[in-house]
Every structure is written in C-alpha cells, then in structure tokens.
Amino acid sequence: MIDQSEKSAPRTAGQTEGDLQQIQHMAQRLTENVGRVIVGRATAVRLTVVALLCEGHVLLEDVPGLGKTMLARTVAGSLNCLFKRIQFTPDLLPSDVTGLNYFNQKEGEFRFLKGPIMANVVLADEINRATPRTQSCLLEAMEERQVTVEGETMALPRPFLVLATQNPVEQEGTFPLPEAQLDRFLLRIKQGYPTAQEEDLILTRFQKENPLQNLEPVTDGEELSRMQGLCRTVLVDQPVREYILDLVRTTRSHQAVRLGASPRAAQGLLRAAQALAAVKGRAFAVPDDVKELAGPVLAHRLLIRPEARLRGAGGEELVQEILAKIKAPVEEE
C-alpha cells in the first residue's frame, strides 16, 4: 500500500510545468520578502501565502506583542496593491468601514466617500474590539466581495483579502466574533512565542530601524490574481475530496462539538490544499496537504460544548483527534 502523498499523478489539462514554476517563484519571493522583516514564523508565513493564493481571509490570533500586526503589514507591503488599515474600536461605525454618501455643497449633489474596505488588502486590526453592529458590515464584503450602502451595491476590487488580528486573552472592551464571522476566515493562525535565538535576532534587526520602512513590493494584484486562477486548476482526486468530506462531516457528529464545520469550510479546505500543493510544486493535492491545513482551516469554526471545554478540549485538539481517527486514502501499488 502506498500513501497518496507519495504517488505521482497526471497534471490537469490546464496546467503546465511553467505554471507550477510561476506559482512557486511568486510564493518564494513573497516568503523571502516577508522574512526580511519577520523573524522565524515559517509556518505562519507559509499559511498566509497559501491564503493569498486562494483569496482566503486570515485571522491572526495570539497574545499581545507577538507581531500579528507586523506580519499583516509586511505581507501587505510585499504586494503592490491598494492597502488600507482599519483600527477597530468600540466607537467605530459601519459607515467608517464601508463609506457613506455625503452632500457636496460646492457641486450641489450627493457623492459617495469610499471607506477603507474599498481596497485590495484590508488590515482589520484588533477586530474583536468593534461592536457586533460594526463587525457585521464585514460579512457581505468577506463572502460576496461587495458592499451595500443605502441600497446601492458596489463590487470590491479584486483580489480582495482581509487580514484580521485579535488578542484572545483580553476580555475587557472586546466582543467575541460570532460564528458567521469566524466561518468567513479561511485560516486562523497562531504564532506562539519565538525561540531564544529568534528573539535575539529580533532585537538585533530592529535595534537601529524598522526594516518594514524599506520593504519593497515583489508582486502585484494582476500577478496574484493570475496565480490564484492557476491554483484552482490543481487536481484534487475523488479519494482526497472524500477525505476532506469525512473530516468535515465528522466534526458535525463529534460528541464534544455543538456546531461542526460548514460546507464553506470544506470548500476552503479543498482550495487551501490546492494552493499548498502548488506552492510545493505539485499539480495535484494529496492527503498530507489536507492534514497540514485541517487545524488552521477547521479548528476556529467548531463550537465546543461547555462540558467539553471544562475538560480542556479545544478546537485544535479535536481536529487532531479526528485526523488520528480517520484513515487517509491510500492507493494499491
């Protein structure tokens, strides 16, 4: 028996060796450019690049001071795209995000003032500090890539990506993200504390100046959109699709889970597996791609029962338990 991770598969009709090299080359440029500022964090950077390649939104969640905002700003600085930052606070209004119509007295007519959501890359900093009313204005934008203001619907520029940050330990002045909001994030990424060597390098690198100030973009929206299209042509065989469905559907029947992963989660896991396979130079996805992404894609979408939380069960642990329980597809030699 041979695990499908190790087998060879034919390329799809629409993908060539040159296509894969283009995706790999762009991913490498992005990774290296981010590495000029961010120390370590290889997994977080790779997952963020994967999210960019499948136009998925990213939630960076960790304790204060670990570089969540710095990572988001560095990724945005590596893209020659329109970038906007929204500092979420309790007094932030939906119109501060989407924009509003105002009366121009000089011209004698109403004009639309674009909000910061009208950008290619939007940094939603400390997203859980805004009220649910303001958080809800992101729902349409993140899912449908459009906003509706006073009955008029406007398409957002493409590519469109939301990079959000939040601190999970601060309770005062915060509003937990609802399930509908969390489900719109393709990945939730946790970085953790750096090693002693990495922290020493951080002190050295930032001692004289912030390297982010001299960061130059290495790609643009046009190239990124083209690479996103190529990633969608990565082959996902039926056994791998069934493996994804088994994982997602098992979360819905697990005794510790009150609300399991949605069909949107299954779609996101498949798209992310396609992008990760392309970054690794393969024209086909394998179970190992799914295993690597299952935690970041599924864990934040699970609503754990209170009694399970009292026993210390969390989304990440449950996903790992499900991965250990479900056998990955194999191919006869």
Side-chain angles (χ1 to χ4, degrees):
M1 303 283 283
I2 298 179
D3 192 299
Q4 284 198 351
S5 330
E6 301 175 0
K7 77 183 184 74
S8 179
R11 290 190 175 84
T12 57
Q15 195 165 56
T16 65
E17 187 72 31
D19 293 335
L20 289 172
Q21 290 179 353
Q22 288 182 55
I23 297 172
Q24 280 189 293
H25 184 53
M26 194 198 76
Q28 184 178 3
R29 279 186 282 130
L30 280 171
T31 302
E32 292 176 352
N33 207 49
V34 171
R36 299 177 190 275
V37 179
I38 303 299
V39 177
R41 305 292 189 267
T43 300
V45 173
R46 179 165 62 173
L47 289 175
T48 304
V49 171
V50 166
L52 290 175
L53 288 171
C54 49
E55 203 175 6
H57 310 297
V58 177
L59 178 62
L60 298 168
E61 181 182 282
D62 227 316
V63 298
L66 293 186
K68 301 183 298 297
T69 303
M70 181 65 70
L71 174 58
R73 290 178 60 199
T74 304
V75 171
S78 299
L79 305 172
N80 188 18
C81 298
L82 181 59
F83 168 68
K84 296 290 183 180
R85 174 175 176 169
I86 308 173
Q87 193 65 48
F88 279 69
T89 55
D91 60 345
L92 190 73
L93 299 174
S95 58
D96 296 328
V97 177
T98 60
L100 58 101
N101 287 310
Y102 72 99
F103 185 73
N104 188 317
Q105 293 184 343
K106 183 177 180 180
E107 299 180 3
E109 60 181 12
F110 281 93
R111 289 294 183 91
F112 178 69
L113 180 64
K114 292 183 179 181
I117 198 68
M118 300 286 189
N120 296 111
V121 181
V122 177
L123 168 57
D125 203 25
E126 302 283 0
I127 189 173
N128 57 335
R129 291 196 177 277
T131 62
R133 178 188 177 193
T134 302
Q135 289 181 13
S136 65
C137 74
L138 292 174
L139 296 177
E140 181 183 15
M142 293 176 67
E143 177 63 18
E144 302 172 53
R145 268 67 177 183
Q146 65 182 31
V147 294
T148 302
V149 179
E150 297 183 11
E152 183 180 354
T153 299
M154 291 159 284
L156 295 173
R158 304 294 291 271
F160 173 72
L161 306 159
V162 173
L163 302 174
T165 69
Q166 72 170 1
N167 298 322
V169 296
E170 297 182 11
Q171 302 297 324
E172 203 169 327
T174 61
F175 303 86
L177 299 181
E179 286 72 27
Q181 185 80 65
L182 287 171
D183 198 38
R184 281 164 167 77
F185 285 103
L186 173 68
L187 301 171
R188 181 182 64 176
I189 301 175
K190 294 185 177 182
Q191 303 179 87
Y193 285 102
T195 64
Q197 293 79 8
E198 290 172 346
E199 197 160 5
D200 181 62
L201 183 54
I202 291 173
L203 296 179
T204 303
R205 182 173 294 183
F206 285 80
Q207 182 176 354
K208 295 183 179 180
E209 62 177 1
N210 187 342
L212 181 59
Q213 297 175 352
N214 301 317
L215 194 70
E216 297 290 337
V218 294
T219 188
D220 55 23
E222 183 179 351
E223 182 184 21
L224 180 57
S225 294
R226 189 169 66 254
M227 295 303 105
Q228 289 170 347
L230 290 176
C231 285
R232 285 184 176 271
T233 66
V234 169
L235 180 67
V236 183
D237 282 329
Q238 182 65 27
V240 180
R241 290 201 303 273
E242 291 177 355
Y243 183 50
I244 292 173
L245 291 174
D246 285 344
L247 293 175
V248 171
R249 295 181 68 84
T250 302
T251 66
R252 302 170 193 166
S253 59
H254 197 287
Q255 60 181 2
V257 178
R258 190 172 70 178
L259 182 66
S262 66
R264 183 190 287 126
Q267 293 174 356
L269 186 53
L270 184 143
R271 294 200 318 271
Q274 288 178 304
L276 181 59
V279 169
K280 292 181 177 179
R282 278 186 277 101
F284 55 95
V286 297
D288 279 354
D289 298 325
V290 178
K291 291 177 183 178
E292 183 175 341
L293 293 161
V297 172
L298 301 179
H300 64 285
R301 305 172 192 261
L302 307 184
L303 189 59
I304 312 302
R305 296 185 183 277
E307 57 270 24
R309 284 199 176 277
L310 289 175
R311 295 195 301 268
E316 294 84 358
E317 291 78 13
L318 290 178
V319 170
Q320 294 305 314
E321 177 186 324
I322 292 171
L323 283 172
K325 178 181 178 182
I326 297 179
K327 187 177 181 181
V330 294
E331 182 188 39
E332 295 289 346
E333 188 172 3

